[in-house]
């Protein structure tokens, strides 16, 4: 038998009140709202209903007991914590109750509850004060088992994921096939024009440009997968906007672009190419929405966020630079707006493989990784406006290496012994050839163990190790720390096809001298190496 706050049996109270109610049948709603009927609602409701006083369960209906497997009335007086898998989850839910209820009057929170047999199930809580005028009466909480709903969501997400991968694969293969065709064409023409040095140089320049384009595609993929920032430096966002508008091309002649750049904007810390990608995606998105033409407006300004409670996600107060892209297109309804930044959501048809299939999900990941946020306002047939806010914080001192031209005569050289470690034969071969052309004495290793063996055999001889990260037998991370133990004086340069992640940053903090993301030019390699080797130990 359960008891109320005053120790009186709750069931007895309901019975007494029901009898009292039958003595006063004059009430207009007496038949429907009789204590007898209210009692039936509480007992036979298909959702769990309970009353919490502080952190203890005062009363629970049979549905709660059925969900959790406890014997009827056995939960009364017990701590609610006993129904949660962990202390951390209980505290999260309980604190969230009060945060939401104090703000809006009610709370809706998804969590998991434990059963008697130590299994757990997905559930959704809804909570409010039992008596808004007297909070000492405790919380009224309903519990719904949403296991099937969660399972269906997982199935739907998986289906959307597979659909997005199909679109993505089609777009990527389309772009790479075009690049390969262009590269093959220039190689063929180099053979035809072998006796004309100027034409050969032009083909080489065009091939370099194509390789840079391919690197941008893979860079976008890495940004999509990891939200990675690569070359962080202080940026003037107006310059990024100007470059994006220069690159942006559209076929429709009836689209007008308006640029409104603010003056005295804060500098932002970010990766230039990734932020250009953000703006390009928003510009393309806006132009595609204006099927009959219109105006595309891009604007920049400083904003200062003081109150953050107007956002439905976490925002740090402070100074930001806002970039807005507004179109006068077809707009979006609420159903699309809710999914617009879903990594696996696309409004395009599956067979539409034009482009790279990344779009707004890439934008969301890049902006979030830069410490910013993005919002969208739109109505059907009334256009859309995307607002990107990036923190205008004091610039972080970044290592930047000035790029010179690709003229071989201007590239810095050396004569030290350099060990290059990579499991890909093609990369190892071309890397060794580049180093040899720059005058270095070259050693090669195909994995970490071969690398350590060479260092052991030639103590004090190797000045620099160029180290790949992902390798069989012994990966780059383990190799790095083993080299430090063997010969702390050896300088190291990480060279990887993956972006700089937390593991790489830790290696840089622990003594690694620099990071180069593949692919890179011979000129860049030569300058990074000299900067490392010329730096005093």
């Amino acid at each position: 038998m359960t008891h109320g706050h005053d120790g009186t049996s709750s069931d007895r109270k309901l019975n007494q009140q029901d009898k009292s109610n039958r003595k006063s049948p004059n009430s207009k709603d007496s038949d429907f709202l009789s204590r007898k009927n209210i009692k039936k609602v509480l007992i036979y409701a298909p959702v769990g209903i309970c009353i919490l006083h502080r952190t203890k369960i005062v009363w629970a209906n049979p549905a709660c007991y059925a969900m959790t497997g406890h014997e009827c009335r056995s939960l009364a007086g017990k701590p609610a914590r006993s129904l949660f898998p962990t202390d951390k989850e209980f505290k999260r839910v309980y604190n969230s109750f009060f945060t939401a209820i104090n703000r809006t009057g009610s709370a809706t929170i998804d969590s998991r509850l434990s059963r008697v047999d130590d299994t757990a199930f997905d559930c959704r809580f809804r909570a409010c004060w039992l008596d808004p005028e007297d909070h000492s009466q405790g919380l009224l909480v309903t519990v719904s088992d949403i296991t099937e709903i969660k399972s269906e969501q997982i199935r739907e997400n998986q289906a959307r994921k597979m659909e997005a991968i199909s679109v993505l694969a089609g777009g990527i293969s389309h772009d790479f096939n075009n690049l390969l065709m262009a590269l093959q064409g220039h190689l063929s023409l180099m053979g035809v024009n072998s006796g004309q040095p100027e034409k050969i140089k032009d083909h080489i320049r065009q091939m370099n440009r194509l390789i840079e384009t391919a690197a941008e595609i893979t860079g976008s993929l890495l940004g999509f997968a990891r939200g990675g920032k690569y070359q962080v430096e202080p940026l003037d966002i107006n310059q990024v906007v100007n470059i994006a508008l220069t690159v942006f091309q559209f076929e429709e002649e009836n689209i007008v672009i308006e640029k409104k750049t603010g003056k005295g904007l804060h500098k932002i810390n970010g990766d230039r190419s990734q932020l250009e990608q953000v703006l390009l995606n928003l510009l393309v998105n806006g132009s595609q929405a204006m099927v009959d033409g219109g105006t595309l407006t891009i604007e920049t300004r400083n904003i200062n966020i003081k109150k953050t409670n107007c956002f439905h996600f976490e925002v740090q107060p402070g100074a930001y630079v806002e970039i807005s892209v507004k179109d006068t297109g077809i707009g979006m309804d609420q159903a699309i707006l809710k999914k617009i930044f879903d990594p696996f959501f696309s409004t395009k048809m599956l067979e539409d493989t034009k482009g790279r299939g990344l779009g707004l999900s890439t934008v969301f990941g890049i902006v979030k990784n830069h410490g910013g946020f993005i919002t969208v306002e739109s109505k059907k047939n009334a256009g859309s406006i995307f607002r990107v806010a990036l923190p205008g914080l004091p610039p972080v001192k970044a290592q930047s290496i000035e790029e010179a031209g690709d003229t071989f005569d201007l590239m810095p050289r050396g004569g030290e012994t350099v060990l290059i470690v990579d499991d890909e034969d093609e990369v190892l071969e071309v890397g060794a050839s580049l180093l040899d052309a720059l005058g270095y004495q070259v050693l090669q290793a195909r994995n970490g163990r071969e690398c350590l063996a060479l260092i052991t055999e030639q103590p004090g001889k190797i000045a620099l190790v160029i180290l790949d990260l992902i390798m069989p037998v012994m990966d780059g991370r383990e190799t790095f720390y083993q080299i430090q133990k063997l010969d702390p004086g050896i300088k190291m340069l990480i060279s990887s096809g993956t972006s700089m992640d937390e593991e790489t940053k830790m290696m840089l903090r622990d003594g690694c001298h620099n990071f180069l993301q593949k692919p890179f030019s011979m000129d860049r390699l030569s300058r990074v190496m000299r900067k490392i080797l010329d730096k005093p130990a």
Side-chain angles (χ1 to χ4, degrees):
M1 185 175 292
T2 58
H3 294 79
H5 299 165
D6 58 359
T8 309
S9 163
S10 297
D11 293 338
R12 189 182 303 133
K13 278 175 128 180
L14 283 170
N15 288 330
Q16 290 172 351
Q17 290 167 341
D18 187 42
K19 290 177 183 178
S20 173
N21 193 73
R22 285 199 296 268
K23 293 177 183 178
S24 306
N26 296 327
S27 173
K28 185 177 181 180
D29 297 324
S30 60
D31 292 339
F32 183 72
L33 295 178
S34 67
R35 290 295 173 181
K36 180 179 179 181
N37 282 349
I38 293 174
K39 181 179 178 181
K40 287 181 179 179
V41 169
L42 294 173
I43 292 175
Y44 298 116
V47 297
I49 303 173
C50 62
I51 297 171
L52 297 183
H53 185 245
R54 300 186 187 279
T55 61
K56 288 189 177 181
I57 301 169
V58 176
W59 178 85
N61 73 340
C64 275
Y65 290 103
M67 286 180 189
T68 59
H70 287 83
E71 292 184 10
C72 190
R73 300 178 180 174
S74 64
L75 292 174
K78 289 190 175 180
R81 161 64 187 92
S82 62
L83 295 178
F84 286 81
T86 64
D87 284 329
K88 183 178 180 180
E89 182 60 9
F90 169 68
K91 290 176 181 177
R92 182 190 73 84
V93 171
Y94 195 72
N95 292 335
S96 297
F97 276 166
F98 290 102
T99 300
I101 290 172
N102 290 335
R103 188 171 65 239
T104 64
S106 64
T108 301
I109 299 165
D110 289 354
S111 182
R112 288 175 67 80
L113 283 182
S114 299
R115 299 188 181 96
V116 171
D117 61 3
D118 290 331
T119 61
F121 65 96
D122 294 303
C123 65
R124 178 164 295 158
F125 296 108
R126 290 184 171 87
C128 63
W129 293 114
L130 181 61
D131 183 351
E133 304 298 324
D134 183 7
H135 295 178
S136 66
Q137 293 299 309
L139 293 175
L140 174 65
V141 182
T142 65
V143 188
S144 303
D145 187 335
I146 59 170
T147 302
E148 285 301 316
I149 295 174
K150 285 284 188 180
S151 299
E152 182 61 28
Q153 286 175 347
I154 292 171
R155 287 192 290 270
E156 288 178 0
N157 287 340
Q158 187 65 20
R160 287 205 300 267
K161 180 179 180 180
M162 296 308 297
E163 180 181 345
I165 288 173
S166 297
V167 175
L168 185 63
I172 294 297
S173 62
H174 172 272
D175 285 351
F176 266 103
N177 282 336
N178 284 340
L179 291 170
L180 291 173
M181 182 65 242
L183 285 168
Q184 181 63 61
H186 282 293
L187 284 172
S188 299
L189 290 169
M190 286 175 73
V192 173
N193 300 319
S194 58
Q196 303 179 57
E198 286 304 317
K199 287 192 175 182
I200 294 293
K201 287 181 180 179
D202 185 60
H203 290 311
I204 291 172
R205 279 194 295 270
Q206 295 298 327
M207 291 169 69
N208 278 331
R209 184 183 59 80
L210 292 167
I211 290 168
E212 288 172 0
T213 301
E216 287 174 4
I217 296 175
T218 58
S220 293
L221 284 169
L222 289 169
F224 171 72
R226 297 186 177 182
K229 289 188 288 187
Y230 312 116
Q231 300 295 326
V232 179
E233 59 182 341
L235 296 175
D236 180 344
I237 205 66
N238 283 341
Q239 291 180 1
V240 179
V241 168
N242 290 336
I243 293 171
L245 287 173
T246 301
V247 175
F248 175 61
Q249 296 177 358
F250 55 95
E251 297 176 357
E252 294 81 358
E253 295 180 356
N254 54 352
I255 291 180
V256 177
I257 294 182
E258 290 186 358
K259 183 177 70 171
K260 301 177 181 178
T261 52
K263 295 181 179 180
L265 296 184
H266 303 300
K267 294 278 188 176
I268 63 104
N269 285 322
D271 174 74
R272 184 183 297 275
S273 64
Q274 289 291 291
L275 294 178
E276 287 171 6
Q277 184 69 48
V278 166
L279 295 178
L280 282 170
N281 282 351
L282 292 178
L283 290 167
V284 169
N285 185 74
S287 65
Q288 290 177 344
M290 297 186 292
V291 290
D292 297 320
T295 302
L296 195 57
T297 305
I298 184 165
E299 183 177 358
T300 60
R301 61 173 184 151
N302 287 331
I303 61 172
N304 190 34
I305 296 177
K306 295 180 179 178
K307 295 181 179 180
T308 60
N309 56 2
C310 55
F311 298 95
H312 61 275
F313 47 84
E314 184 177 355
V315 173
Q316 296 297 324
Y320 288 79
V321 177
E322 181 186 86
I323 312 105
S324 61
V325 178
K326 180 181 180 182
D327 66 70
T328 57
I330 58 176
M332 296 172 281
D333 57 27
Q334 289 299 315
I336 293 178
L337 279 175
K338 289 179 180 178
K339 301 177 182 179
I340 196 67
F341 297 117
D342 188 329
F344 308 116
F345 176 75
S346 174
T347 57
K348 294 183 179 180
M349 300 299 292
L350 183 62
E351 56 271 13
D352 181 7
T353 57
K354 257 182 120 176
R356 294 164 192 166
L358 297 173
L360 294 176
S361 55
T362 303
V363 169
F364 181 86
I366 294 171
V367 171
K368 184 178 179 182
N369 188 244
H370 279 75
F373 60 92
I374 181 170
T375 59
V376 57
E377 302 166 26
S378 185
K379 288 184 179 180
K380 198 71 175 174
N381 301 317
S384 305
I385 179 167
F386 288 84
R387 302 181 192 274
V388 174
L390 299 170
L393 302 174
V396 174
K397 190 176 182 180
Q399 290 183 344
S400 62
I401 296 167
E402 295 297 327
E403 296 286 356
D406 288 328
T407 305
F408 180 67
D409 293 339
L410 298 176
M411 295 179 191
R413 320 284 176 92
E416 297 92 337
T417 299
V418 177
L419 170 56
I420 181 170
V421 189
D422 203 297
D423 62 313
E424 295 287 345
D425 288 341
E426 294 84 358
V427 175
L428 200 60
E429 182 180 343
V430 74
S433 298
L434 290 173
L435 293 171
D436 182 67
L438 291 169
Y440 294 99
Q441 304 299 310
V442 187
L443 299 174
Q444 301 177 39
R446 286 172 174 77
N447 56 61
R449 287 185 184 172
E450 289 186 13
C451 168
L452 297 177
L454 285 170
I455 292 173
T456 303
E457 292 169 5
Q458 305 186 49
K461 182 179 178 182
I462 298 169
L464 175 68
V465 174
I466 301 176
L467 185 63
D468 186 26
L469 286 179
I470 301 174
M471 298 183 294
V473 184
M474 182 184 290
D475 65 17
R477 182 178 182 277
E478 185 180 353
T479 304
F480 165 74
Y481 288 107
Q482 290 295 330
I483 291 173
Q484 284 191 321
K485 292 178 182 178
L486 272 177
D487 190 341
I490 293 180
K491 296 180 177 180
M492 281 178 273
L493 168 62
I494 298 172
S495 169
S496 178
T498 61
S499 62
M500 187 186 296
D501 55 16
E502 287 303 318
E503 188 174 275
T504 308
K505 290 177 183 177
M506 183 178 294
M507 293 168 66
L508 290 169
R509 288 193 294 268
D510 289 344
C512 188
H513 293 80
N514 215 318
F515 171 82
L516 266 181
Q517 186 175 341
K518 301 171 185 173
F520 47 80
S521 67
M522 184 178 185
D523 179 70
R524 180 164 176 76
L525 173 64
S526 69
R527 294 178 184 281
V528 171
M529 288 179 61
R530 284 293 5 133
K531 183 172 182 179
I532 295 172
L533 291 168
D534 293 340
K535 187 176 181 179

